[in-house]
Each structure stands twice: as C-alpha cells, then as structure tokens.
Amino acid sequence: MRLSTQLDRLHLEARQNRWLQYFTVFVRIALAAGFLPSGLVKIMGERFTSLSVNHPMGNYLEALHHTGYYYTFIGFAQVMAAILLLIPRTVLLGAVLYFPIILNICILSLAVRFDGSLLTSPLMVLANLYLLCWHYDRLKYIFPVELPAVSGQVPQKSAMSNKFPIAFFGGVFATVVMVALLIFTVFEIKPFNTIGDCQQKCKDSANPEACATFCDCIHNQGKPLNTCLTEYNKTVAARAQPR
C-alpha cells in the first residue's frame, strides 16, 4: 500500500471522529485568541509589552514598535489570521497565514529565552501544524508528487464515530508534558522578565554569584544576551577551578 493511500485513510478516519472535530474547533479558537489581542495592540500603535528595553525581548519589541507601518502590518496579519481561523470556510487559509508568524515568534522566544512565550509559542506551533494536518486532503496537492484520487474525502454525518480517541489525547498530553520539561530544563539560566524575578531564581541556583552577575548584566547594564551568557560561563568556570 502506498504511503499516500495510508495517509488518506488515516486522515479520513480522523475527520470522521466527532471528538477530534470538537478538538479542532477548540484549537482554532485558542489560536485565534492568542493573536487577536496582540494584533489589535499593534494596529492601535501601542507598545506590546512593559518589559524594560534592557531585556533582550524588550529591546527587540521596542525596536519593532518604532518601525512604523511595518509594526501595524504585523498586527493586521495577526488579526486577519485569527479571523480566518474562526470562519469554517477559511480555516486552512488562516492556518497557512498563521504558521510563519507563530514559527517566527517561537524561534525568537527561544533565541532570547523570553519566559513569557517560551512554553506557549512551541505549543502554538504544534497546534498550528495539527490544523494543517487536519486539512491534509487539500494541502497534499501542493507537494511535488503524483497522488491518486481518493473518494469519500468529506465524511458524511452518518459515518461519524463517537469513539473517544484515548491514544490521540494521551499523545497530546504527553507532548505537552515533554515540551514543558524540555523548555524548563534546556536552559541553565534565563533573564526572566524583571531583575527581581531573575535574582529570586538565583537563590535556588547552583551558582548564585554567577547568576547574580548575569541578572545585573542583563537588567542593569543592558548588555546583549550572548555577552551576559559569556560572563556567566566565565564566572562559573572561575569558581569551579581549584584554589
């Protein structure tokens, strides 16, 4: 059996499950809710966050805020993607528009270790990918391979299944837990949103002095993240050397 045929069958079975349809509606609403407030803030020309400009993310968003109509354009793109997700006939278009925006936010959050979206943005990327997979029957034709036509792509109400997909939702739960564990363990140190939060975490750090130096470097001196990480690693290495 060809891989495309197996994917068609798997997709059709998923589309015929009522619980997965409910989950898809939830994902659409959740993703739209994630973009509407931030998009409207940008359209109105307001600063998106109260982060200090010394914070790596605050510095980036402050610069973005001063880009004029580009800042407004991003806001319109976010609001448009959110609205398209809420309209059943335009969900796929909304998911396609949504994906590059949220992927950029996710990579940015990881790059600057921004605590505010460090967990939510990867989950939103995965949720967006789920919506794209939900519309696999329409997206597959853009791939540069010859695919056989499969009848019965749109499930009829009489064919709907009420069986609860335990394996699927168990996988969703496991994925959320795995992403959370990875996010909270992959970074040895983060700037956090304020110097108070940063210094508070230093109390539980294995290298409190180096951690305090890092917090001061970020929030008081306003140095780049990479520079502060280098100073942090040097402090840790110096303390680890035998005297």
Side-chain angles (χ1 to χ4, degrees):
M1 184 182 297
R2 295 179 58 175
L3 176 61
S4 60
T5 303
Q6 293 178 333
L7 291 176
D8 284 327
R9 289 187 175 182
L10 181 63
H11 174 262
L12 185 58
E13 290 178 4
R15 292 294 294 262
Q16 289 177 327
N17 188 279
R18 200 175 303 276
W19 288 100
L20 291 182
Q21 290 195 350
Y22 294 153
F23 179 73
T24 302
V25 173
F26 165 77
V27 169
R28 289 166 49 199
I29 295 174
L31 288 179
F35 265 16
L36 279 175
S38 58
L40 290 173
V41 166
K42 294 181 179 70
I43 292 174
M44 292 185 292
E46 298 179 4
R47 195 170 184 267
F48 179 64
T49 178
S50 59
L51 285 173
S52 167
V53 293
N54 285 349
H55 190 286
M57 179 62 89
N59 190 287
Y60 170 85
L61 293 176
E62 179 68 18
L64 185 65
H65 181 233
H66 292 290
T67 55
Y69 56 82
Y70 176 67
Y71 187 72
T72 308
F73 167 77
I74 295 175
F76 274 113
Q78 287 183 296
V79 171
M80 180 62 68
I83 293 175
L84 291 173
L85 284 179
L86 295 176
I87 303 173
R89 291 180 64 87
T90 60
V91 174
L92 177 57
L93 181 58
V96 171
L97 177 59
Y98 200 104
F99 186 71
I101 302 175
I102 191 58
L103 181 61
N104 177 71
I105 294 173
C106 178
I107 295 175
L108 172 64
S109 300
L110 294 172
V112 300
R113 308 187 182 191
F114 177 48
D115 209 42
S117 55
L118 205 55
L119 175 61
T120 56
S121 58
L123 294 179
M124 291 172 75
V125 169
L126 293 176
N128 199 162
L129 286 173
Y130 168 81
L131 283 184
L132 293 175
C133 292
W134 185 257
H135 294 278
Y136 162 77
D137 57 322
R138 296 161 65 185
L139 277 178
K140 66 179 182 180
Y141 295 107
I142 68 174
F143 300 130
V145 292
E146 184 177 354
L147 299 172
V150 177
S151 61
Q153 285 294 322
V154 180
Q156 302 298 319
K157 291 184 178 180
S158 59
M160 289 295 171
S161 171
N162 291 319
K163 182 179 179 181
F164 187 79
I166 298 177
F168 172 81
F169 284 106
V172 170
F173 177 78
T175 300
V176 172
V177 172
M178 288 175 59
V179 170
L181 289 175
L182 180 63
I183 291 299
F184 291 128
T185 57
V186 69
F187 298 119
E188 183 179 355
I189 191 168
K190 295 180 293 185
F192 294 97
N193 293 346
T194 65
I195 188 170
D197 293 338
C198 190
Q199 292 174 339
Q200 182 67 28
K201 296 297 181 180
C202 291
K203 297 179 180 180
D204 301 324
S205 173
N207 300 283
E209 182 179 338
C211 178
T213 300
F214 174 81
C215 295
D216 179 72
C217 180
I218 288 288
H219 294 281
N220 290 333
Q221 301 179 41
K223 293 182 180 179
L225 176 62
N226 287 341
T227 301
C228 295
L229 287 173
T230 299
E231 293 185 9
Y232 170 79
N233 291 328
K234 286 182 178 179
T235 305
V236 172
R239 291 185 60 83
Q241 291 179 355
R243 296 179 181 179

